[in-house]
Amino acid sequence: MSDLRSLPSVDKLLQTETAQDFIGWYGRSLTVHAIRFYLEQLRQNYQPNQLLPDTQEILFKVHELLDEWVEPSLLPVINATGVVLHTNLGRAPISKTAMQYTQEIACHYSNLEFDLGRGKRGSRLFHAENLLTQLTGAEAALVVNNNAAAVMLVLAGLASHRYVVIARTQLVEIGGGFRVPDVMKQSGAKLLEIGTTNRVHLSDYEEALQQNPALFLIAHRSNFQIVGFTSEPERKEIAALAHNYGVPLVDDLGSGTLLDSARYGLAHEPMVQESLRDGADLVCFSGDKLLGGPQAGIIVGKKELVEKLRRHPLARAIRADKMALAALTATLLHYVKEEAEKAIPVWRMISLPLETIHQKAVDWQKALQETGIACDVIEGESTIGGGSLPGETMPTYLLAIKPKSTTRFLKALREYNPPIVARAQNDQIVFDPRTIFPEEEEILLNAIRKLSK
Ligand SMILES: *Cc1c(COP(=O)(O)O)cnc(C)c1O
């Protein structure tokens, strides 16, 4: 066929058995749309005397289009970067138990806001809050959509039109548009900066009290360090001063953690329990950083303050959804049962013994070499990422390959099904076993084999 008039009509194509199958799989309107779309492309790109596809070929192309159109854009990805909390790759993967439990809750009705004992309306927050107070020792807890929202709620609820004191050493931007000064502005609170970029003293806090501030805010420097001629008063000292004057101290921990990161050879990331013990009246932290759960913002602390926040209209607008609450509850139960290190992916990855990682890398190397692919096992470093433990690394072993073009190989990995994200180091591509799940190992090796051809 070499004449546009010889192309079959949309109706004719729709009557074929194949197109009827498409209608069953993808729906009528999408199928019609795909046929029209493809025929239109043929007409527009037509050159005189060009050979045109027959009905079967047309339907084959239409099938490809339909497949492409119904493919969701959000996909699981293999993270070979060794960055445990990779901000661009969905931060914390939740535990299998948390997912199974979430599925149960999400696919059925639940007692989300129903008190089964009394047969009356209950609170959605009851479920995770009991566990949070039990684990942190706080009087009360509140869960919202994410930590940015938690900080916003605290400021709007406790400091609207009033001063919030914060040290210049902590005026952080943590990425993704979260800048402490901007959040303050949005919340209606007024920023009262004290100290300098490198140093702040207790006397600076003391002086700020003259402005009758609504609260003192401490924000964790999640993604940078200040070194050299620096000083900050201890949290305990700030808390004592604040309490003397009846001013609440709020600590935005960012990541926060319930486990001591120092146990794993890392620097000590501030713990939620410590902050409360030091006298913080409210502590805010994320659900999907070092806690290893779903996206959530968690506020723990004094009952009176938490109650005030709970009643604020903003609390309703930023409430956590039932799936997040389910996943959070299951994640917290891992801590209650003292199985976090094994059950929560983030902590399992952090606590992986170096020998285990080395063994994996060596096993992969052997498996690849058997199929004729040259590769090395080299020493390297994994990082935590995701706004915790800035500059901290953990020793690891990497599988390294040397493709002709690292850029092209990385691209091919990203376009693989499932996509694989690795990193280039010098002229090699390296894969860190730390962040790869056992069930992904074979897929990764097969991808390397396939793409090395
Ligand atoms: C990450 C972070 C936030 C924001 O938390 P999200 O859960 O991402 O909204 C706020 N403050 C600090 C200090 C952080 O590190």
Side-chain angles (χ1 to χ4, degrees):
M1 284 189 291
S2 60
D3 187 336
L4 273 180
R5 278 170 306 182
S6 64
L7 276 179
S9 70
V10 176
D11 278 337
K12 195 96 178 266
L13 285 165
L14 278 173
Q15 278 160 21
T16 61
E17 216 172 292
T18 315
Q20 288 303 310
D21 283 342
F22 295 167
I23 290 171
W25 300 330
Y26 306 99
R28 185 171 184 87
S29 94
L30 201 63
T31 304
V32 173
H33 186 49
I35 292 174
R36 288 217 176 104
F37 184 89
Y38 184 62
L39 291 179
E40 185 53 33
Q41 269 192 336
L42 283 178
R43 285 192 195 99
Q44 283 191 358
N45 301 328
Y46 180 73
Q47 314 273 337
N49 295 323
Q50 181 195 333
L51 208 60
L52 286 163
D54 62 17
T55 299
Q56 210 188 344
E57 287 168 299
I58 292 172
L59 288 170
F60 182 81
K61 288 288 181 195
V62 166
H63 196 178
E64 280 188 342
L65 271 178
L66 284 164
D67 263 348
E68 202 183 300
W69 289 354
V70 296
E71 166 109 7
S73 63
L74 184 59
L75 301 168
V77 160
I78 295 179
N79 174 14
T81 63
V83 182
V84 175
L85 292 169
H86 199 302
T87 307
N88 302 140
L89 303 182
R91 246 155 48 181
I94 63 173
S95 78
K96 293 259 160 35
T97 315
M99 192 59 240
Q100 280 153 8
Y101 177 57
T102 306
Q103 186 176 327
E104 281 299 304
I105 296 300
C107 297
H108 298 93
Y109 295 106
S110 65
N111 62 338
L112 181 67
E113 292 183 353
F114 188 67
D115 183 330
L116 293 170
R118 296 186 303 149
K120 284 193 184 139
R121 179 169 212 273
S123 164
R124 68 169 53 215
L125 293 168
F126 167 80
H127 311 284
E129 281 168 7
N130 279 350
L131 294 171
L132 281 166
T133 52
Q134 186 185 332
L135 284 164
T136 63
E139 288 176 10
L142 177 63
V143 183
V144 295
N145 184 62
N146 59 358
N147 190 36
V151 176
M152 176 80 101
L153 176 64
V154 168
L155 296 175
L158 305 181
S160 184
H161 305 299
R162 293 184 58 195
Y163 281 116
V164 170
V165 176
I166 184 164
R168 290 196 173 89
T169 51
Q170 299 166 8
L171 281 176
V172 300
E173 167 173 333
I174 52 161
F178 185 96
R179 288 174 151 190
V180 169
D182 294 343
V183 174
M184 270 200 207
K185 221 177 284 164
Q186 277 302 316
S187 71
K190 291 189 287 187
L191 179 66
L192 184 54
E193 299 174 39
I194 58 168
T196 60
T197 357
N198 56 325
R199 285 165 76 87
V200 59
H201 307 287
L202 197 62
S203 57
D204 293 318
Y205 283 93
E206 216 162 346
E207 234 165 82
L209 285 165
Q210 288 169 9
Q211 308 292 326
N212 185 27
L215 53 90
F216 284 175
L217 177 66
I218 314 181
H220 181 49
R221 277 188 292 277
S222 300
N223 48 8
F224 71 107
Q225 293 166 319
I226 48 172
V227 292
F229 186 54
T230 65
S231 99
E232 275 181 347
E234 285 196 24
R235 184 168 43 203
K236 253 187 253 173
E237 300 175 281
I238 305 173
L241 176 68
H243 295 163
N244 265 342
Y245 291 85
V247 175
L249 172 66
V250 176
D251 191 4
D252 173 16
L253 281 185
S255 175
T257 168
L258 297 178
L259 295 184
D260 185 359
S261 55
R263 283 209 330 237
Y264 307 95
L266 292 161
H268 180 73
E269 175 78 8
M271 295 170 70
V272 181
Q273 306 92 310
E274 283 168 355
S275 178
L276 290 166
R277 237 180 286 138
D278 281 353
D281 297 282
L282 289 178
V283 179
C284 308
F285 59 105
S286 276
D288 56 344
K289 289 184 181 172
L290 280 176
L291 192 73
Q295 180 188 301
I298 301 163
I299 305 169
V300 294
K302 292 269 154 60
K303 196 175 179 92
E304 182 200 336
L305 299 175
V306 171
E307 285 307 322
K308 200 163 171 187
L309 298 180
R310 207 192 291 280
R311 289 192 301 267
H312 193 278
L314 194 55
R316 173 63 176 80
I318 57 172
R319 75 178 182 186
D321 92 303
K322 63 181 175 185
M323 289 197 267
L325 287 173
L328 181 62
T329 303
T331 305
L332 294 170
L333 282 170
H334 290 314
Y335 288 95
V336 171
K337 298 196 300 198
E338 294 185 66
E339 62 183 21
E341 210 179 88
K342 286 210 173 65
I344 298 178
V346 167
W347 286 102
R348 191 180 52 72
M349 290 170 183
I350 291 174
S351 63
L352 265 183
L354 193 56
E355 311 89 78
T356 311
I357 299 181
H358 184 245
Q359 192 56 52
K360 271 191 194 213
V362 169
D363 289 348
W364 294 359
Q365 183 189 27
K366 265 195 214 135
L368 287 175
Q369 281 172 345
E370 272 165 23
T371 42
I373 290 162
C375 53
D376 289 313
V377 172
I378 60 172
E379 288 180 13
E381 279 167 355
S382 321
T383 57
I384 303 289
S388 25
L389 296 160
E392 280 290 305
T393 58
M394 290 170 284
T396 192
Y397 283 94
L398 306 164
L399 179 83
I401 58 169
K402 208 182 231 172
K404 277 192 213 89
S405 154
T406 49
T407 320
R408 250 181 290 144
F409 202 91
L410 283 175
K411 185 164 190 288
L413 285 168
R414 290 196 306 271
E415 286 167 356
Y416 194 76
N417 178 17
I420 298 163
V421 181
R423 61 191 167 89
Q425 189 171 294
N426 306 322
D427 54 352
Q428 291 180 311
I429 290 178
V430 293
F431 303 89
D432 191 335
R434 188 186 297 276
T435 49
I436 292 166
F437 288 87
E439 65 269 24
E440 295 171 342
E441 292 180 24
E442 207 43 53
I443 303 172
L444 174 71
L445 296 184
N446 279 332
I448 297 174
R449 286 188 191 108
K450 228 169 170 173
L451 301 176
S452 298
K453 276 185 192 143

